[in-house]
Amino acid sequence: MALPTYSTMKHHLLPAATYSRLVPHATYHDAATIDEPTIKPQNRSRSAVNIPASLSNLLHLNLNHHTNPTGTHAGSSNNAMLDVENFNRQTPTYSPTEDISSMYSEIHGAADWSRLLSPLHPWLRREILKYGEFAQATYDAFDSNPFSQYGGSCKYGRHRLFEKLGLLRHGYDVTKYLYAMSHVDLPRWLERSLHAEAWSRDSNWMGYVAVSGDEESRRIGCRDIVVSWRGTVVPAEWLEDIQGKLESIESNDQSDIRVEHGFRSIYTSNAETTRYNKLSASEQVMGEIKRLVKFYQEKGEKVSITITGHSLGGALALLNAYEAASALPSVPVSVISFGAPRVGNEAFADRLKELGVKVLRMVVKQDVVPKMPGILFNEGMKMVENVTGTLDWVYTHVGVELGLNVKTSPYLKNCIDFAGFHNLEIYLHLVDGYVSSKSGFRCEAKRDVALINKASGMLREEIGIPPCWHQPANRGLVCNPYGRWTMPNRELEDIPSPYREGYEQLLN
């Protein structure tokens, strides 16, 4: 049964109030010391919907807002509520970026981000948001319309992707698109076109490889190869079908390193009869990574690999990192993931650590997906393993966690919305406002809060942004010269073509 969504429930909204004082601009002393203005959580009313206590305890959600004897929420301040009437929409949505090359290795996790997370260093925050926007691009550019001839593909050709999505400012160029098979063991995770002349019956666009340009490479201190993996469009659909079956990461089943069967199947499946998956997603991405690494290393450049993804995309990012680090031991590999589920057992986590893979996981406390699979049998069983020995069938998370909490944001409704809690735009909003686990929401946050409601309804109603506003005009239909409404033809550059992509590969 799919997880319920409560984004349309009614809420008791408090009136707006002005900030009690002006807050000075942030001052950054060094990587370990930071002083940023924050907004403490406002006194929001308690939700009328309560999930069963047993489920809440099982998932460690702690969704209820506890009140103190005065009737206000613990840690809240009535003097710091959101000023909706004076909410300023005339400010830039992102900050100027500095030269961060002096901290290249730290920002890529050389010391497991030990000096950068508490409090969160502004340079790292901006890099996390950059990679998060690369992950969000896989949703914004995905054609999920089943009535489109190209349903399941990317809406834009790779040369136009960042231009169409407003991401040219990051200074990266897309070099390859990635495709994954549809006949895998997560039954409903892929989108398929109902059109008689569909572009593909077997594959979906799953992400892309990009590389930093010369100017961006100088700014960050290396030539950065980015791989961005797409998550599922409707995560609740695969969440209910996930098998939680661990299998050997090697095809011969001899390794004690085990990963979730469905994730591995998506990453490694191929078929000679398909147009886009004669090579598996694994073979596609590794071929491109090796090509780019060789090209830039032969030019004497320092190269890094950063793999990002949200939800299922975060799981694929770990599998990709394992393979990349194994094949290219001289190249630093890091993973920046958002709302990712567990992928493998402790041996898998240990091997990633041995390979030097650095993993930074963004996790929203109220999001159930990072608690899957392995709700019961997970890294919390360490004490049991002291008696039984290592258990190969127990799931464990990998890397360093940056914990986020929806209750810290004064812009969000007080509601229970499982799909909303998992939404990538919620993650990016909370990262933008995060300073530390003991601080409120950052006043200097730049990211446009309207993006929260692109595919959800979690933004407070008095801000005036309608829910789920991100959709094509007229549901994608256009009026042709004869006055008939039809699905539009794509520009030639935007039509999927394995032959064109293969030809461009030869030219590169």
Side-chain angles (χ1 to χ4, degrees):
M1 179 177 178
L3 292 172
T5 299
Y6 297 98
S7 59
T8 58
M9 59 181 265
K10 294 183 178 179
H11 310 279
H12 303 289
L13 296 171
L14 295 173
T18 57
Y19 291 122
S20 59
R21 54 191 170 88
L22 294 176
V23 187
H25 289 289
T27 302
Y28 306 112
H29 305 292
D30 56 37
T33 306
I34 185 170
D35 180 20
E36 294 194 76
T38 59
I39 310 172
K40 290 185 179 180
Q42 65 182 40
N43 182 12
R44 293 179 288 177
S45 61
R46 299 178 69 176
S47 169
V49 178
N50 290 312
I51 64 172
S54 59
L55 178 59
S56 177
N57 292 336
L58 182 63
L59 298 178
H60 310 292
L61 291 179
N62 189 23
L63 289 171
N64 291 326
H65 297 259
H66 300 292
T67 58
N68 61 29
T70 65
T72 59
H73 299 304
S76 68
S77 170
N78 288 328
N79 293 326
M81 290 190 294
L82 174 64
D83 181 4
V84 177
E85 293 178 356
N86 296 322
F87 183 60
N88 191 350
R89 292 185 173 88
Q90 306 301 317
T91 57
T93 58
Y94 52 90
S95 303
T97 50
E98 302 92 346
D99 184 326
I100 63 173
S101 58
S102 61
M103 290 179 58
Y104 153 76
S105 60
E106 280 193 275
I107 285 178
H108 282 266
D112 293 318
W113 300 279
S114 58
R115 295 199 311 134
L116 305 184
L117 293 178
S118 185
L120 182 61
H121 195 285
W123 291 0
L124 177 58
R125 180 191 294 113
R126 289 174 191 167
E127 292 304 291
I128 292 172
L129 291 174
K130 178 181 75 176
Y131 294 119
E133 289 185 349
F134 286 151
Q136 181 64 42
T138 63
Y139 294 115
D140 293 341
F142 184 65
D143 189 345
S144 58
N145 184 353
F147 297 99
S148 167
Q149 177 182 351
Y150 305 107
S153 72
C154 182
K155 296 175 184 177
Y156 315 112
R158 67 178 180 87
H159 296 295
R160 304 206 311 159
L161 178 66
F162 287 166
E163 174 191 356
K164 299 295 288 187
L165 299 183
L167 297 178
L168 289 177
R169 69 181 185 276
H170 291 319
Y172 284 69
D173 297 308
V174 178
T175 65
K176 187 174 181 61
Y177 277 173
L178 307 173
Y179 299 88
M181 293 289 294
S182 58
H183 63 268
V184 295
D185 294 328
L186 296 183
R188 294 180 293 172
W189 76 274
L190 287 173
E191 296 289 328
R192 302 188 187 189
S193 172
L194 301 176
H195 199 282
E197 298 178 358
W199 71 286
S200 174
R201 296 291 183 189
D202 310 290
S203 306
N204 265 200
W205 180 65
M206 205 60 207
Y208 58 89
V209 181
V211 65
S212 57
D214 293 344
E215 184 177 349
E216 177 68 1
S217 298
R218 285 191 294 270
R219 185 187 76 83
I220 62 178
C222 67
R223 186 70 66 170
D224 188 29
I225 299 169
V226 169
V227 183
S228 181
W229 292 98
R230 181 175 61 80
T232 47
V233 176
V234 186
E237 291 188 346
W238 68 262
L239 190 59
E240 65 171 286
D241 293 312
I242 194 169
Q243 295 183 4
K245 174 185 175 184
L246 284 166
E247 66 180 18
S248 173
I249 199 166
E250 305 295 342
S251 57
N252 58 16
D253 200 30
Q254 297 301 308
S255 173
D256 61 348
I257 300 174
R258 299 185 178 276
V259 294
E260 205 281 325
H261 167 74
F263 301 152
R264 181 175 178 273
S265 180
I266 291 171
Y267 187 63
T268 61
S269 291
N270 69 317
E272 191 60 37
T273 57
T274 67
R275 297 178 66 196
Y276 291 87
N277 277 108
K278 296 182 187 302
L279 298 178
S280 67
S282 164
E283 292 169 312
Q284 295 168 50
V285 71
M286 287 307 301
E288 182 66 0
I289 287 175
K290 290 176 181 177
R291 182 186 74 82
L292 291 171
V293 167
K294 179 181 179 183
F295 177 79
Y296 289 109
Q297 283 188 337
E298 287 180 349
K299 294 174 65 177
E301 296 192 32
K302 184 190 303 181
V303 180
S304 68
I305 299 171
T306 309
I307 309 174
T308 188
H310 166 254
S311 189
L312 169 64
L316 297 178
L318 278 185
L319 296 176
N320 187 186
Y322 173 90
E323 191 172 21
S326 300
L328 300 163
S330 65
V331 181
V333 178
S334 58
V335 174
I336 306 293
S337 69
F338 304 83
R342 296 184 182 95
V343 175
N345 62 359
E346 186 175 2
F348 176 64
D350 289 343
R351 182 55 181 156
L352 281 170
K353 188 174 181 178
E354 291 171 3
L355 290 168
V357 175
K358 302 299 181 179
V359 180
L360 180 58
R361 298 182 296 109
M362 265 49 67
V363 176
V364 169
K365 181 178 183 179
Q366 292 81 3
D367 185 4
V368 300
V369 172
K371 298 169 174 54
M372 306 285 186
I375 295 177
L376 296 176
F377 303 109
N378 54 50
E379 57 273 7
M381 295 188 67
K382 277 290 185 183
M383 292 182 64
V384 176
E385 289 188 337
N386 291 336
V387 177
T388 63
T390 301
L391 302 173
D392 291 343
W393 42 269
V394 173
Y395 284 91
T396 185
H397 270 304
V398 180
V400 179
E401 176 180 315
L402 179 63
L404 307 168
N405 192 330
V406 297
K407 293 191 291 183
T408 62
S409 172
Y411 300 95
L412 301 179
K413 292 176 181 176
N414 174 25
C415 66
I416 299 173
D417 184 342
F418 289 116
F421 294 152
H422 187 57
N423 191 291
L424 179 52
E425 287 290 357
I426 288 288
Y427 272 82
L428 300 183
H429 169 68
L430 294 176
V431 169
D432 194 26
Y434 183 86
V435 177
S436 74
S437 59
K438 301 183 184 301
S439 302
F441 199 84
R442 189 172 68 105
C443 292
E444 296 295 302
K446 296 284 188 180
R447 191 172 176 79
D448 188 0
V449 297
L451 297 173
I452 294 167
N453 271 15
K454 280 169 67 176
S456 77
M458 291 194 64
L459 195 62
R460 288 177 58 189
E461 292 170 357
E462 61 264 46
I463 295 175
I465 304 297
C468 301
W469 57 263
H470 190 259
Q471 52 185 299
N474 302 313
R475 298 293 178 90
L477 294 180
V478 296
C479 189
N480 69 16
Y482 304 99
R484 298 185 183 277
W485 289 89
T486 62
M487 294 298 297
N489 294 322
R490 285 192 182 182
E491 298 283 343
L492 181 62
E493 162 72 11
D494 300 332
I495 296 175
S497 171
Y499 309 109
R500 179 171 62 244
E501 291 184 12
Y503 177 70
E504 290 177 343
Q505 188 76 25
L506 290 175
L507 292 180
N508 291 331

